[in-house]
Amino acid sequence: ASAKITATVTLHKIMTAQIPELTDEVIKSFNFGDSVYNEATLKEFIKLWIDEQNLQRKMDAIYQQTLKQTLVTAYPKIEYTYYEEEFEKNEKTKAEQVYHTTFEEYVAGQYGSMEKYNAEKTAYAQKYTTEDMILHALAEKYGVKVTTESYNQALNLLFTERADTVGITNTDDFYNYMGVAIYRSHLL
């Protein structure tokens, strides 16, 4: 364990990254899709992106602190049930499409028991219902409202993203499935 070893190594090449100066010519060689940048606009884009990321981190920190300080004594039934059903549908989809097994076998393998699965489902429903409650309270406090146009655009977007996972084929049924409060939370 404490024996000395001597090794001979041949070094063939030493490489270092060479970062070119950010010029309009170099920028044009990048593929930005339809966007056209020069040095000034790319730097401005990067600055805005960094500012947006910093703002998002600050907002997330405030939100997480608010969440930690929130004591919930009762959950609204519609929202709570929605999140329980969402959790269950997601887990059943994973069992079938990812693990190619029965739901029961998936639960046994991933959670160890139905009791642990149900505890996880409860924690999920409580977490997201609490987040919704906070969003609703903040929106009410600060007068945040959703326009009809934004409302309809968001409904169509959510329908496109999620309807196939719940087997719904039209926006009216999807809206009814989600419920007003859940839908409003997604918009906020």
Side-chain angles (χ1 to χ4, degrees):
S2 61
K4 292 184 178 183
I5 297 175
T6 303
T8 302
V9 178
T10 304
L11 184 61
H12 294 283
K13 188 189 280 188
I14 296 177
M15 297 176 65
T16 60
Q18 294 182 344
I19 301 172
E21 184 180 339
L22 196 59
T23 64
D24 289 346
E25 187 176 305
V26 169
I27 292 167
K28 286 178 188 174
S29 71
F30 299 148
N31 181 9
F32 290 112
D34 294 337
S35 301
V36 178
Y37 292 101
N38 60 29
E39 182 179 357
T41 57
L42 183 59
K43 284 180 179 179
E44 181 61 24
F45 172 81
I46 292 169
K47 181 189 177 311
L48 290 172
W49 182 81
I50 290 170
D51 290 347
E52 184 178 301
Q53 295 301 308
N54 289 335
L55 178 61
Q56 187 63 48
R57 275 192 284 282
K58 288 175 186 174
M59 289 170 49
D60 288 346
I62 291 168
Y63 186 74
Q64 290 304 318
Q65 188 63 31
T66 304
L67 194 57
K68 285 178 188 176
Q69 295 175 359
T70 301
L71 173 64
V72 178
T73 57
Y75 294 95
K77 184 176 175 142
I78 292 172
E79 289 88 343
Y80 191 86
T81 302
Y82 169 83
Y83 285 116
E84 282 186 317
E85 289 173 358
E86 179 180 72
F87 181 85
E88 191 152 320
K89 285 175 185 161
N90 289 341
E91 295 302 289
K92 285 181 177 180
T93 299
K94 279 189 220 173
E96 183 182 301
Q97 295 179 4
V98 177
Y99 292 93
H100 307 289
T101 189
T102 66
F103 178 68
E104 291 75 18
E105 289 173 349
Y106 171 78
V107 168
Q110 294 296 313
Y111 296 96
S113 69
M114 199 61 171
E115 290 78 25
K116 288 182 182 175
Y117 167 82
N118 284 330
E120 196 66 31
K121 180 170 71 171
T122 297
Y124 180 90
Q126 287 176 348
K127 176 183 189 263
Y128 288 103
T129 304
T130 300
E131 288 181 2
D132 284 355
M133 292 167 69
I134 291 169
L135 281 174
H136 288 269
L138 291 172
E140 189 172 315
K141 179 178 179 179
Y142 294 106
V144 175
K145 300 206 185 290
V146 178
T147 66
T148 302
E149 181 182 346
S150 295
Y151 185 84
N152 290 330
Q153 286 175 347
L155 176 61
N156 287 325
L157 179 63
L158 279 171
F159 173 74
T160 302
E161 291 175 351
R162 296 184 176 198
D164 61 336
T165 62
V166 293
I168 296 175
T169 58
N170 67 62
T171 54
D172 289 337
D173 289 345
F174 183 69
Y175 175 81
N176 291 332
Y177 167 77
M178 287 191 68
V180 175
I182 299 298
Y183 182 58
R184 183 171 171 241
S185 296
H186 283 286
L187 286 173
L188 291 174

